[in-house]
């Protein structure tokens, strides 16, 4: 039969061997082993049961061995637990380590929306020519949007700009032209001529497709003073269109109709892609229709309290989307409003 000492030394060596083999990732394994050896019903307790059969003189001798074995085991388990913890921390640190020599990640920078860029560019050009930039209201009255623009109730030309009514008298503006009337009636001509542009959003009851949107952006332009003529209109538009589309551009005026200008014109710019030979951008005509303009109708001046025998003016309205679509070859107007970064990021 094995003696208690033999059993003890076997238990110690077996346990140490098991501790060596233990999976250091599994706390559970260590704990199970500890309980099976040191626990109340563990192997050590089992061996100690044999003590009662020992003689009185042998008991202290064997007892000393028992204590030594328990100390060795306790220490081995403590050490194993510490090693496991250290091992886990080391692994975690290795996984999380920061390489301070790595170059930094570039901060992703956004950019202004292409329409904002377009209007800012146009604003800068006009600011340089002494124009003021005026804000208007997107929710307008019928009075300013139509009546003061020489479009009385039941005027057939109202059909060209059907819109969203809030009440019979309040609507979403169909164009930036009401800003003309709002600015004219406030202007003090003793301080010099009125020169302004007004960028902003407008609304029409349109069905959305690749080239139409129920809301889009215009820039209104207005100059009123003494002796303002069609030549001033033409010179101004030529300059701005050359800045936008290249210094070799020519412009062409075609007769048109707007109730608030007389005469009214459609303004074309010579094609910036083919230079006038004819291509897909200009639909083989060499010219691109770009904006509407004209001399401010005397009636519109008078309604704003301006003496049309003394003063005259020109006005124009351009579509921001149209300008941007032409310049950047954008073929679907809906792209402007999607908020899709893949669209926006192209215009850095
Ligand atoms: N308001 C016109 C439109 O939206 C454009 C325009 C403005 C025409 C000023 C002439 C003068 O169609």
């Amino acid at each position: 039969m094995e003696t208690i000492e033999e059993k003890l030394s076997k238990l110690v060596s077996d346990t140490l061997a098991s501790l060596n083999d233990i999976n250091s990732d599994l706390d559970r394994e260590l704990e199970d082993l500890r309980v099976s050896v040191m626990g109340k019903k563990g192997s050590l307790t089992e061996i100690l049961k044999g003590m009662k059969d020992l003689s009185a003189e042998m008991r202290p001798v064997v007892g000393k061995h028992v204590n030594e074995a328990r100390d060795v085991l306790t220490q081995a388990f403590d050490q194993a637990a510490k090693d496991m913890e250290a091992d886990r921390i080391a692994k975690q640190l290795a996984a999380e380590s920061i390489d301070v020599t790595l170059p930094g990640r570039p901060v992703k920078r956004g950019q202004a929306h292409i329409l904002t860029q377009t209007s800012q560019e146009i604003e800068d050009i006009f600011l340089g020519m002494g124009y003021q930039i005026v804000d208007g209201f997107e929710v307008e009255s019928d009075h300013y949007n139509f009546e003061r623009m020489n479009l009385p109730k039941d005027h057939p030309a109202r059909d060209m700009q059907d819109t969203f009514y809030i009440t019979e008298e309040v609507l979403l503006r169909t164009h930036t032209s009401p800003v003309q009337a709002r600015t004219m009636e406030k202007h003090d001509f003793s301080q010099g001529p009125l020169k302004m542009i007004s960028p902003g959003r407008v609304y029409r009851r349109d069905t959305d497709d690749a080239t139409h949107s129920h809301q889009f952006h215009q820039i209104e332009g207005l100059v009123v003073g003494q002796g303002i003529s069609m030549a001033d209109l033409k010179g101004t538009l030529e300059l701005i269109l050359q800045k936008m589309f290249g210094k070799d551009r020519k412009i062409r005026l075609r007769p048109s109709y707007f109730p608030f200008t007389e005469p009214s014109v459609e303004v074309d710019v010579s094609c910036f892609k083919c230079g006038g030979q004819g291509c897909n951008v200009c639909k083989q005509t060499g010219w691109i229709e770009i904006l509407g303009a004209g001399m401010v109708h005397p009636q519109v001046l008078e309604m704003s309290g301006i003496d049309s025998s003394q003063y005259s003016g020109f006005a124009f309205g351009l579509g921001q989307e149209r300008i941007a679509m032409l310049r950047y070859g954008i073929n679907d107007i809906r792209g402007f409003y999607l908020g899709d970064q893949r669209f926006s990021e192209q215009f850095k």
Side-chain angles (χ1 to χ4, degrees), residues 13-33:
S13 60
D14 284 356
T15 306
L16 293 182
S18 303
L19 276 175
N20 237 353
D21 289 347
I22 219 158
N23 183 339
S24 62
D25 288 335
L26 296 174
D27 288 348
R28 196 62 245 164
E29 257 181 44
L30 178 65
E31 183 57 12
D32 287 350
L33 183 61

Side-chain angles (χ1 to χ4, degrees), residues 47-290:
I47 296 171
L48 292 184
K49 281 182 186 164
M51 293 282 283
K52 65 180 188 318
D53 303 328
L54 293 176
S55 64
E57 25 331 344
M58 278 308 284
R59 237 175 244 172
V61 180
V62 175
K64 196 169 162 252
H65 280 126
V66 170
N67 286 337
E68 277 166 10
R70 186 187 282 122
D71 285 350
V72 169
L73 290 172
T74 307
Q75 221 196 340
F77 276 108
D78 285 353
Q79 191 59 46
K82 274 187 204 146
D83 289 350
M84 264 172 110
E85 180 67 10
D87 199 51
R88 187 170 42 237
I89 290 172
K91 277 187 183 153
Q92 202 174 342
L93 280 176
E96 285 174 5
S97 73
I98 296 166
D99 180 352
V100 292
T101 66
L102 275 176
R105 292 201 185 90
V107 176
K108 217 174 163 211
R109 288 185 59 183
Q111 76 285 326
H113 191 278
I114 184 59
L115 287 178
T116 309
Q117 290 182 39
T118 304
S119 74
Q120 279 175 352
E121 196 180 324
I122 296 173
E123 283 167 34
D124 280 349
I125 298 169
F126 280 103
L127 277 173
M129 298 193 288
Y131 284 60
Q132 53 171 317
I133 297 169
V134 180
D135 255 342
F137 301 122
E138 287 178 30
V139 180
E140 250 307 355
S141 61
D142 183 280
H143 177 73
Y144 281 103
N145 192 80
F146 288 132
E147 307 252 342
R148 289 284 291 277
M149 288 293 108
N150 212 18
L151 280 146
K153 294 220 161 57
D154 303 322
H155 192 293
R158 280 196 179 205
D159 283 355
M160 300 194 305
Q161 300 188 357
D162 200 2
T163 191
F164 302 95
Y165 283 85
I166 290 159
T167 67
E168 225 171 283
E169 293 301 323
V170 179
L171 46 81
L172 298 184
R173 67 178 177 186
T174 58
H175 51 179
T176 42
S177 298
V179 187
Q180 286 188 33
R182 288 188 177 276
T183 314
M184 275 190 281
E185 67 188 11
K186 277 192 288 202
H187 189 73
D188 176 2
F189 283 91
S190 70
Q191 303 296 305
L194 164 58
K195 295 162 80 177
M196 69 101 186
I197 60 164
S198 182
R201 186 174 300 189
V202 302
Y203 302 81
R204 295 206 187 158
R205 211 207 61 160
D206 257 339
T207 306
D208 293 0
D209 63 22
T211 52
H212 295 84
S213 168
H214 62 281
Q215 50 104 63
F216 57 102
H217 300 78
Q218 290 188 325
I219 296 181
E220 192 77 11
L222 174 70
V223 173
V224 181
Q226 278 173 324
I228 302 292
S229 75
M230 198 92 178
D232 298 310
L233 168 66
K234 191 172 179 196
T236 304
L237 292 179
E238 191 169 70
L239 193 123
I240 178 86
L241 291 172
Q242 283 174 347
K243 291 233 175 171
M244 304 292 296
F245 292 101
K247 61 178 172 32
D248 297 329
R249 297 287 75 75
K250 293 185 181 59
I251 68 164
R252 171 174 93 169
L253 306 186
R254 282 180 294 116
S256 183
Y257 172 75
F258 299 104
F260 33 91
T261 47
E262 180 59 36
S264 302
V265 291
E266 292 293 341
V267 182
D268 297 344
V269 63
S270 60
C271 184
F272 56 89
K273 189 170 175 211
C274 64
Q277 301 317 113
C279 70
N280 60 329
V281 172
C282 58
K283 298 187 187 115
Q284 312 304 329
T285 64
W287 294 95
I288 299 167
E289 185 180 320
I290 202 86

Side-chain angles (χ1 to χ4, degrees), residues 307-345:
D307 180 353
S308 63
S309 68
Q310 291 264 339
Y311 293 93
S312 58
F314 68 77
F316 60 87
L318 57 82
Q320 293 184 32
E321 281 84 349
R322 178 150 174 78
I323 301 261
M325 286 170 85
L326 283 167
R327 289 176 83 193
Y328 300 103
I330 299 164
N331 51 25
D332 194 324
I333 196 170
R334 290 166 290 199
F336 291 110
Y337 318 119
L338 293 176
D340 186 332
Q341 294 212 2
R342 290 168 301 177
F343 177 84
S344 308
E345 275 172 356

